[in-house]
């Protein structure tokens, strides 16, 4: 290997080591900073980027120094970031000297300068403050500070621990025993040092780091892998060991302070012993006053007169027996307090200041509150005594009145339970007068029972101690009072029923007479000779039914009244029941006659209606048969299309009319099924009508077939003429003797002839289609006995259809005069519509640059011209 290669290797190795050291320092310094920033709920993720705005760096300096650097700006713009960082650097320059670093270095993320800045902060605020005396027994001996002091402290704390030899902040900590020895020296309960294995470096390091993090709160800013190397980074170990020093130094200062406080507490306990009697007596008295105030403020008094009287006796005993000793105890406490103050003054000591709430003034205030509560309780007891005495008087009054009301109720109930005798009108009138006297007597006492209820409500609302018994008694009396009123009302209804018996008898006679009149009318058997007569009879019968319904309602009312107003055991009720039974029988009889009469009339109406409807339907069918029998199928395509359109309208009318005919026949069949006397005539009419309908449908189908065949034939001849015209047009081209005068013209004629051959070849499919269509039409014409020559258009010099077939009889569309009976003459207008001749494609055609679908209508120019001449 050449010297140049060796130099490159060494340079690369040095660079790698430098990068590794930067990475370890960055990781450790980041954890160290986050240990402080977590107090402000901040965190650094990338040390070289997160300090760029200066806000986190400012917060870190405030936390670690305890000083306020002011409020940072937003740190969005570069100038704002520079301002925040410069404030931090200015603050640091007041604490420590450094140079060659500016705000731009931090904003741009310069690793070397940022790590140097953090290390400077650690040295200033974590390590520089450490100060250790070389000789602990001699206070005037030499002192070491900063890193030297920290190393001396580590050596003293780990002295005597096997496997630990602290000489520096690099290799001396590799095996991890040094960290464990520091923890064990201060907290032996956390580390089992004798069980540690000196060879297990990683285990020892992790054990110390985890115990420090979990038990002592020292953040784990190092990783065991970063320490267990031949030469660990000195800065990261110094940073971490400094955390141990600060934690244990703080713990030592707290222990020293505790000893000093113990001495002060001892002197205070001696002083407290002198005033213990005062405070204990004061405490007992104040607690008694507090408890007694709670008792005096209690307003849960017994809910009875006797209970309130006992409370007053107990209150009197408190005033005469319990309170005087406490008053003397209060005087003794005051005397004790003045004696303590006198002794302290005599000894030249500070006067005794009792705790808050134990002053003489506090005792006086508590005693005044006690007397105030005492006065209020006395007033409340006297008011409650007055209330209970009043409730007791109301209760006695309620009991007295309740006994009187209850006795009167029992007497009146016995009177109303007496049986009434109303065998005749005189007895009924006497019973009514007696009832009116009893009713006046009962209703006059309504206010008295209301006043009794008011007394009960007042006692219940006043929380009378026997309010449940009062409420029960009041409910019982009110129930009996309501029962008495119900019996009174029932007696009144019963007497009213007896009084209405005679009126009911008179009304029964009136209804029977009206039923006779209705019966004579519904007995008629004549149902009329025609439809108008039947409808008139039905109108008259509707009036009779209304009268009959009114009579039935009156009879039902009588039946209901007979059960509601009268005593079932009364002698007159038997006669009334017999009369009502007779009346109900007569009503049922007339109802049956009315129903039978209405049914006969409805059957007659249905019969005459059927006759009228069937005649009308038959006339309509005959009219349409005359129309579909026509044989004219049109002299050209346009005429044939018009005739087909008219025929479709006729078919549409038939489709809409046939359900009406079926409905008429259905009604007639219903009459036949029910056994009508004229069922043979009805059946023959139905058969005749349906036969004519069948004939109409067959004729209509035949005519549609002929019209469609005619349209197809006319279309064929139009296509054939067009094909013939095309061939005549191309014939001069194929028979020409012109072969060109030179090569160019001959080449042109040859190209034109090739195109013509292509057109002829393409047109061959059209000729083939026409030939197939002609064969189909010939076959169809032979099946329907139609001559195809009649569809052929007339040529020049030929006779027209009328001339060629002048001997043939052809039916043309014409009007048929049918005699119909109308109330008045109606004029009808007929509108004739002439359409432009059209050609309808019978088959799909594709050629000569166009496409025609089957059934598509084509308007041709020569057809338009022909239409213009016509």
């Amino acid at each position: 290997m050449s010297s140049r290669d060796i130099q490159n290797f060494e340079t690369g190795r040095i660079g790698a080591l430098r990068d590794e050291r930067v990475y370890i320092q960055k990781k450790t310094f980041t954890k160290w900073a986050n240990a402080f920033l977590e107090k402000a709920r901040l965190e650094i993720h990338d040390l070289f980027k997160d300090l760029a705005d200066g806000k986190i760096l400012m917060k870190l300096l405030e936390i670690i120094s305890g000083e306020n650097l002011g409020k940072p700006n937003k740190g969005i713009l570069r100038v704002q970031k520079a301002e925040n960082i410069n404030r931090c650097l200015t603050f640091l320059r007041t604490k420590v000297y450094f140079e060659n670093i500016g705000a731009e270095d931090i904003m741009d993320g310069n690793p070397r300068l940022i790590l140097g800045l953090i290390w400077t902060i650690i040295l200033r605020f974590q390590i520089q403050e450490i100060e250790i005396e070389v000789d602990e027994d001699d206070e005037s001996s030499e002192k070491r500070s900063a890193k030297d002091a920290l190393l001396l402290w580590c050596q003293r704390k780990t002295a005597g621990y096997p496997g630990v030899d602290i000489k520096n902040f690099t290799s001396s900590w590799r095996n991890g025993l040094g960290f464990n020895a520091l923890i064990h020296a201060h907290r032996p309960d956390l580390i089992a040092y004798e069980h540690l294995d000196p060879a297990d470096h990683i285990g020892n390091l992790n054990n110390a780091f985890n115990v420090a993090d979990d038990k002592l709160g020292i953040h784990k800013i190092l990783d065991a892998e970063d320490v267990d190397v031949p030469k660990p980074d000195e800065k990261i170990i110094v940073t971490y060991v400094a955390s141990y020093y600060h934690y244990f130094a703080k713990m030592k200062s707290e222990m020293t302070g505790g000893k000093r406080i113990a001495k002060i507490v001892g002197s205070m306990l001696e002083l407290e012993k002198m005033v213990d009697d005062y405070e204990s007596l004061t405490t007992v008295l104040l607690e008694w006053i507090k408890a007694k105030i709670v008792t005096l403020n209690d307003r849960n008094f017994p809910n009875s007169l006797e209970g309130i009287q006992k409370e007053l006796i107990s209150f009197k005993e408190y005033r005469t027996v319990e309170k005087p000793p406490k008053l003397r105890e209060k005087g003794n406490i005051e005397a004790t307090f003045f004696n303590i103050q006198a002794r302290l003054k005599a000894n030249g000591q500070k006067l005794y200041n009792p705790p808050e709430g134990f002053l003489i003034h506090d005792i006086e205030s508590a005693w005044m509150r006690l007397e105030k509560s005492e006065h209020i309780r006395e007033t409340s007891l006297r008011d409650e005594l007055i209330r209970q005495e009043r409730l007791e008087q109301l209760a006695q009054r309620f009991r007295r009145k309740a006994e009187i009301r209850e006795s009167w109720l029992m007497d009146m109930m016995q009177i109303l339970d007496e049986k009434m005798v109303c065998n005749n009108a005189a007895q009924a009138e006497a019973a009514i007068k007696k009832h009116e006297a009893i009713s006046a007597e009962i209703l006059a006492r309504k206010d008295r029972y209301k006043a009794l209820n008011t007394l009960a409500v007042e006692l219940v609302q006043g929380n009378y101690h026997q309010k449940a018994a009062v409420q029960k008694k009041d409910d019982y009396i009110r129930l009996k009072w309501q029962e008495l009123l119900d019996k009174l009302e029932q007696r009144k209804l019963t007497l009213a029923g007896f009084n209405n018996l005679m009126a009911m008898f008179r009304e029964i006679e009136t209804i029977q007479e009206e039923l006779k009149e209705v019966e004579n009318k519904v007995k008629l058997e004549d149902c009329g000779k025609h439809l108008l007569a039947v409808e008139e009879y039905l109108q008259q019968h509707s009036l009779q039914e209304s009268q009959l319904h009114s009579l039935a309602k009156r009879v039902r009312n009588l039946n209901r009244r007979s059960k509601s107003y009268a005593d079932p055991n009364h002698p007159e009720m038997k006669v009334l029941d017999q009369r009502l039974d007779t009346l109900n029988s007569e009503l049922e009889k007339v109802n049956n006659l009315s129903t039978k009469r209405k049914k006969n009339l409805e059957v007659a109406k249905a019969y005459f209606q059927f006759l009228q409807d069937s005649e009308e339907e038959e006339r309509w069918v005959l009219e349409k048969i005359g129309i579909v029998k026509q044989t004219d199928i049109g002299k050209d395509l346009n005429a044939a299309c018009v005739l087909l359109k008219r025929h479709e309208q006729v078919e549409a009318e038939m489709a809409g009319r046939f359900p009406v005919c079926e409905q008429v026949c259905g009604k007639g069949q219903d009459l036949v099924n029910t056994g009508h006397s004229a069922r043979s005539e009805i059946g023959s009419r139905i058969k005749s009508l349906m036969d004519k309908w069948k004939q109409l449908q067959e004729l209509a189908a035949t005519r549609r077939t002929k019209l469609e065949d005619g349209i197809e034939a006319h279309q064929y001849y139009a296509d054939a003429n067009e094909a013939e015209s095309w061939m005549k047009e191309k014939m001069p081209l194929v028979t020409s003797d012109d072969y060109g005068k030179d090569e160019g013209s001959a080449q042109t004629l040859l190209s034109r002839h090739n195109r013509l051959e292509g057109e002829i070849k393409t047109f061959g499919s059209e000729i083939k289609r026409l030939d197939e269509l002609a064969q189909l039409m010939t076959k169809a014409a032979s099946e329907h006995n139609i001559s195809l020559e009649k569809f052929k258009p007339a040529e020049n010099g030929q006779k027209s259809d009328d001339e060629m077939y002048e001997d043939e009889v052809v039916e043309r569309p014409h009007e048929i005069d049918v005699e119909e009976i109308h109330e008045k003459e109606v004029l009808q207008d007929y509108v004739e519509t002439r359409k432009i001749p059209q050609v309808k494609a019978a088959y799909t055609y594709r050629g000569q640059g166009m496409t025609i679908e089957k059934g598509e209508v084509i308007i041709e120019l020569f057809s338009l011209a022909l239409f213009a001449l016509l």
Side-chain angles (χ1 to χ4, degrees):
M1 182 179 296
S2 63
S3 59
R4 184 175 182 83
D5 293 336
I6 295 173
Q7 184 179 0
N8 291 337
F9 173 77
E10 292 178 351
T11 303
R13 178 60 178 168
I14 292 171
L17 292 175
R18 183 173 59 249
D19 293 341
E20 182 179 359
R21 186 173 299 276
V22 169
Y23 168 74
I24 294 173
Q25 288 183 4
K26 176 185 177 183
K27 179 174 62 174
T28 304
F29 291 170
T30 300
K31 292 181 180 180
W32 173 84
N34 286 334
F36 291 95
L37 290 174
E38 70 177 5
K39 301 177 182 177
R41 296 184 179 179
L42 296 175
E43 184 179 1
I44 296 175
H45 298 283
D46 190 336
L47 188 64
F48 299 153
K49 296 180 180 179
D50 294 349
L51 300 181
D53 58 0
K55 293 193 291 185
I56 294 181
L57 180 60
M58 188 178 296
K59 179 58 71 175
L60 176 63
L61 290 174
E62 287 181 349
I63 294 173
I64 199 170
S65 66
E67 299 183 22
N68 187 9
L69 275 68
K71 184 177 180 181
N73 54 37
K74 295 182 179 179
I76 299 175
L77 302 176
R78 187 173 179 86
V79 66
Q80 294 174 339
K81 298 178 180 179
E83 182 182 351
N84 289 337
I85 296 173
N86 284 327
R87 290 169 63 182
C88 296
L89 296 178
T90 301
F91 171 76
L92 284 175
R93 287 189 179 97
T94 62
K95 305 295 182 180
V96 64
Y97 173 78
F98 61 91
E99 57 183 9
N100 297 330
I101 184 171
E104 294 78 6
D105 299 322
I106 298 177
M107 286 190 294
D108 296 337
N110 189 315
R112 184 177 62 81
L113 294 179
I114 290 175
L115 292 176
L117 177 64
I118 299 299
W119 176 243
T120 301
I121 295 172
I122 295 173
L123 286 176
R124 171 60 183 86
F125 295 101
Q126 291 288 102
I127 301 174
Q128 185 176 341
E129 296 179 354
I130 301 174
E131 189 175 80
I132 302 295
E133 296 178 356
V134 177
D135 188 358
E136 293 182 333
D137 298 330
D138 186 4
E139 295 182 358
S140 61
S141 64
E142 180 186 357
K143 293 184 178 180
R144 294 184 183 180
S145 59
K147 187 169 67 173
D148 295 336
L150 183 61
L151 181 61
L152 179 60
W153 177 79
C154 293
Q155 292 172 347
R156 288 178 177 177
K157 296 300 178 182
T158 59
Y161 281 90
V164 179
D165 185 14
I166 305 300
K167 295 180 179 179
N168 50 44
F169 285 108
T170 55
S171 59
S172 298
W173 303 89
R174 180 177 180 180
N175 60 5
L177 295 177
F179 295 106
N180 286 277
L182 283 179
I183 298 174
H184 186 270
H186 295 88
R187 292 289 302 276
D189 56 314
L190 301 179
I191 298 291
Y193 187 85
E194 62 277 5
H195 295 109
L196 297 177
D197 183 7
D200 186 9
H201 295 183
I202 298 296
N204 296 335
L205 290 168
N206 285 327
N207 180 67
F209 296 162
N210 293 332
V211 170
D213 189 14
D214 297 338
K215 305 298 182 180
L216 305 179
I218 300 173
H219 289 78
K220 184 180 179 181
I221 65 175
L222 294 183
D223 291 332
E225 293 76 8
D226 298 336
V227 179
D228 187 19
V229 293
K231 189 175 181 181
D233 188 270
E234 183 181 28
K235 293 180 181 179
I236 65 173
I237 295 179
V238 169
T239 302
Y240 186 57
V241 173
S243 301
Y244 280 69
Y245 172 80
H246 287 293
Y247 177 81
F248 292 126
K250 182 180 178 182
M251 183 177 71
K252 181 179 179 181
S253 63
E254 291 177 353
M255 293 176 63
T256 304
K259 293 178 180 179
R260 294 176 181 175
I261 292 172
K263 294 179 180 180
I264 297 172
V265 168
S267 61
M268 290 179 65
L269 288 175
E270 186 177 354
L271 180 61
E272 286 180 0
K273 186 177 180 180
M274 295 173 62
V275 297
D276 185 57
D277 292 339
Y278 167 80
E279 291 185 355
S280 61
L281 292 173
T282 303
T283 301
V284 172
L285 179 61
L286 290 176
E287 289 179 353
W288 177 84
I289 293 174
K290 183 178 179 181
K292 187 52 63 176
I293 288 175
V294 173
T295 303
L296 294 174
N297 290 336
D298 185 14
R299 296 296 180 267
N300 295 323
F301 298 140
N303 192 20
S304 64
L305 180 60
E306 182 181 359
I308 291 299
Q309 290 173 348
K310 290 181 178 180
E311 285 291 325
L312 284 171
I313 294 173
S314 177
F315 181 72
K316 185 176 181 181
E317 290 179 354
Y318 153 74
R319 274 188 164 180
T320 57
V321 178
E322 186 177 2
K323 183 179 177 183
K326 294 298 180 182
L327 181 60
R328 290 192 295 270
E329 185 176 340
K330 173 176 171 290
N332 294 334
I333 290 173
E334 293 176 355
T336 302
F337 176 76
F338 289 120
N339 290 333
I340 291 172
Q341 295 291 64
R343 287 183 58 188
L344 290 174
K345 187 175 181 180
N347 294 331
Q349 296 179 351
K350 184 179 178 181
L351 294 179
Y352 169 60
N353 186 17
E356 185 178 355
F358 285 81
L359 298 172
I360 297 298
H361 173 71
D362 297 331
I363 299 174
E364 289 293 339
S365 298
W367 192 263
M368 290 177 64
R369 290 196 300 271
L370 176 65
E371 291 184 342
K372 182 179 180 181
S373 299
E374 180 182 326
H375 173 71
I376 294 173
R377 182 172 182 83
E378 182 180 10
T379 304
S380 300
L381 285 171
R382 294 190 181 279
D383 292 342
E384 182 65 17
L385 179 64
I386 295 172
R387 191 182 75 85
Q388 289 292 340
E389 289 176 348
R390 178 177 173 277
L391 289 176
E392 195 63 39
Q393 293 174 1
L394 289 175
Q396 293 177 2
R397 183 181 174 190
F398 173 81
R399 296 189 191 98
R400 185 174 64 255
K401 290 183 177 294
E403 291 177 359
I404 297 173
R405 303 291 180 266
E406 186 176 1
S407 176
W408 182 84
L409 282 172
M410 295 298 104
D411 295 340
M412 296 307 298
M413 293 285 278
Q414 292 179 359
I415 294 174
L416 292 179
D417 287 339
E418 293 178 357
K419 186 176 181 180
M420 294 182 295
V421 179
C422 298
N423 294 326
N424 50 48
Q427 291 178 347
E429 184 177 358
I432 290 173
K433 290 182 178 180
K434 181 179 179 182
H435 176 77
E436 290 176 353
I438 295 173
S439 179
E441 172 68 17
I442 292 174
L443 295 178
R445 295 180 178 269
K446 183 176 181 180
D447 292 338
R448 299 184 183 183
Y449 284 91
K450 187 176 180 180
L452 182 65
N453 177 252
T454 302
L455 276 176
V457 170
E458 187 174 359
L459 286 169
V460 172
Q461 292 179 350
N463 197 23
Y464 180 60
H465 66 281
Q466 293 183 352
K467 63 180 181 181
V470 172
Q471 185 68 53
K472 183 177 180 181
K473 193 68 173 179
D474 179 63
D475 293 341
Y476 175 76
I477 293 176
R478 284 194 294 116
L479 178 63
K480 290 299 179 182
W481 170 254
Q482 189 60 43
E483 290 179 0
L484 180 64
L485 294 178
D486 294 342
K487 283 192 175 184
L488 184 67
E489 183 65 23
Q490 185 64 33
R491 187 183 179 90
K492 177 182 177 181
L493 295 175
T494 303
L495 290 173
F498 288 139
N499 193 34
N500 291 333
L501 280 175
M502 297 305 297
M504 293 175 67
F505 284 132
R506 290 193 296 270
E507 189 171 0
I508 289 173
E509 293 176 358
T510 303
I511 293 174
Q512 286 176 336
E513 292 176 359
E514 294 181 4
L515 281 174
K516 282 291 184 183
E517 296 178 1
V518 176
E519 182 180 1
N520 293 332
K521 293 179 181 179
V522 298
K523 278 183 178 180
L524 293 176
E525 296 182 357
D526 184 20
C527 296
K529 302 300 182 181
H530 49 77
L531 184 61
L532 294 177
V534 174
E535 290 178 347
E536 184 177 357
Y537 275 133
L538 279 171
Q539 291 178 357
Q540 294 176 0
H541 187 76
S542 177
L543 297 175
Q544 294 162 8
E545 281 185 332
S546 299
Q547 184 179 2
L548 190 59
H549 290 159
S550 177
L551 292 174
K553 185 177 180 180
R554 292 167 63 184
V555 171
R556 288 195 299 272
N557 190 25
L558 283 173
N559 290 327
R560 186 171 59 254
R561 288 168 58 190
S562 67
K563 297 177 181 178
S564 304
Y565 296 128
D567 183 3
N569 298 323
H570 196 275
E572 295 294 333
M573 280 302 298
K574 295 181 180 180
V575 179
L576 179 62
D577 291 340
Q578 293 176 359
R579 297 285 297 275
L580 284 175
D581 291 341
T582 303
L583 180 62
N584 290 326
S585 301
E586 292 177 358
L587 176 63
E588 184 178 0
K589 177 183 176 183
V590 176
N591 275 329
N592 294 333
L593 291 173
S594 175
T595 303
K596 182 179 179 182
R597 171 74 174 165
K598 184 176 181 180
K599 183 177 180 181
N600 292 335
L601 289 173
E602 289 177 347
V603 171
K605 180 182 178 181
Y607 172 68
F608 290 121
Q609 187 69 47
F610 167 75
L611 294 179
Q612 179 177 326
D613 295 342
S614 61
E615 290 175 359
E616 182 179 352
E617 291 299 317
E618 190 169 355
R619 284 196 299 271
W620 185 88
V621 172
L622 290 174
E623 179 186 352
K624 298 304 176 184
I625 287 175
I627 293 174
V628 300
K629 276 185 176 181
Q630 298 175 8
T631 59
D632 183 20
I633 58 176
K635 63 182 179 180
D636 53 23
L637 179 63
N638 184 44
C641 291
V642 172
L643 290 176
L644 180 61
K645 189 70 175 179
R646 291 178 182 175
H647 185 73
E648 289 176 350
Q649 293 177 357
V650 173
E651 288 181 336
E653 293 181 16
M654 290 171 58
R657 192 79 178 195
F658 187 70
V660 178
C661 179
E662 286 183 330
Q663 185 178 4
V664 172
C665 294
K667 292 181 179 179
Q669 189 63 41
D670 291 340
L671 292 173
V672 173
N673 295 336
T674 55
H676 195 273
S677 59
R679 56 182 175 274
S680 59
E681 178 187 359
I682 296 171
S684 63
R685 281 181 175 271
I686 293 173
K687 185 176 184 305
S688 175
L689 181 59
M690 295 307 296
D691 291 342
K692 288 181 175 60
W693 255 102
K694 183 177 181 182
Q695 181 184 0
L696 174 61
Q697 292 171 345
E698 292 175 352
L699 290 173
T702 302
R703 179 159 177 76
R704 168 175 276 278
T705 302
K706 290 181 178 181
L707 287 173
E708 290 176 349
D709 292 343
I711 290 173
E712 188 176 3
H714 285 306
Q715 184 67 50
Y716 168 77
Y717 279 112
D719 294 344
N721 289 338
E722 183 180 356
E724 186 176 0
S725 298
W726 185 87
M727 288 187 291
K728 287 180 179 181
E729 180 184 351
K730 304 301 180 182
M731 185 61 71
L733 298 177
V734 299
T735 58
S736 175
D737 295 334
D738 184 11
Y739 298 106
K741 296 180 180 182
D742 50 23
E743 183 179 357
S745 59
Q747 188 68 30
T748 301
L749 290 174
L750 179 61
S751 299
R752 185 182 301 170
H753 186 75
N754 291 333
R755 288 197 301 271
L756 181 60
E757 284 183 343
E759 293 177 3
I760 294 172
K761 185 178 181 181
T762 302
F763 200 74
S765 61
E766 177 67 13
I767 300 300
K768 183 179 180 181
R769 183 186 67 80
L770 291 174
D771 182 56
E772 293 175 354
L773 182 60
Q775 294 177 8
L776 292 174
M777 290 173 57
T778 302
K779 183 178 180 181
S782 62
E783 291 177 356
H784 296 90
N785 297 322
I786 299 175
S787 176
L788 295 177
E789 294 296 327
K790 62 189 296 185
F791 300 106
K792 186 176 181 180
E795 298 180 356
N796 295 333
Q798 293 183 356
K799 296 181 180 181
S800 63
D801 291 343
D802 295 337
E803 293 174 349
M804 293 176 63
Y805 301 100
E806 59 182 3
D807 295 335
E808 182 181 356
V809 177
V810 180
E811 293 186 9
R812 299 288 185 180
H814 61 281
E815 295 181 358
I816 300 175
D817 295 330
V818 180
E819 291 187 9
E820 293 183 1
I821 300 174
H822 298 284
E823 294 183 359
K824 62 179 181 179
E825 185 177 356
V826 179
L827 298 178
Q828 298 182 352
D829 295 334
Y830 291 89
V831 179
E832 182 178 359
T833 303
R834 301 183 67 182
K835 296 185 178 180
I836 298 174
Q838 298 175 342
V839 177
K840 185 177 182 182
Y843 300 93
T844 302
Y845 172 74
R846 291 181 177 84
Q848 299 187 7
M850 63 180 177
T851 301
I852 301 174
E853 300 296 332
K854 182 179 179 180
E856 185 177 352
V857 177
I858 309 169
I859 302 177
E860 296 188 352
L861 294 177
F862 72 86
S863 298
L864 291 173
L866 179 62
F867 180 78
L869 293 174
L870 293 175

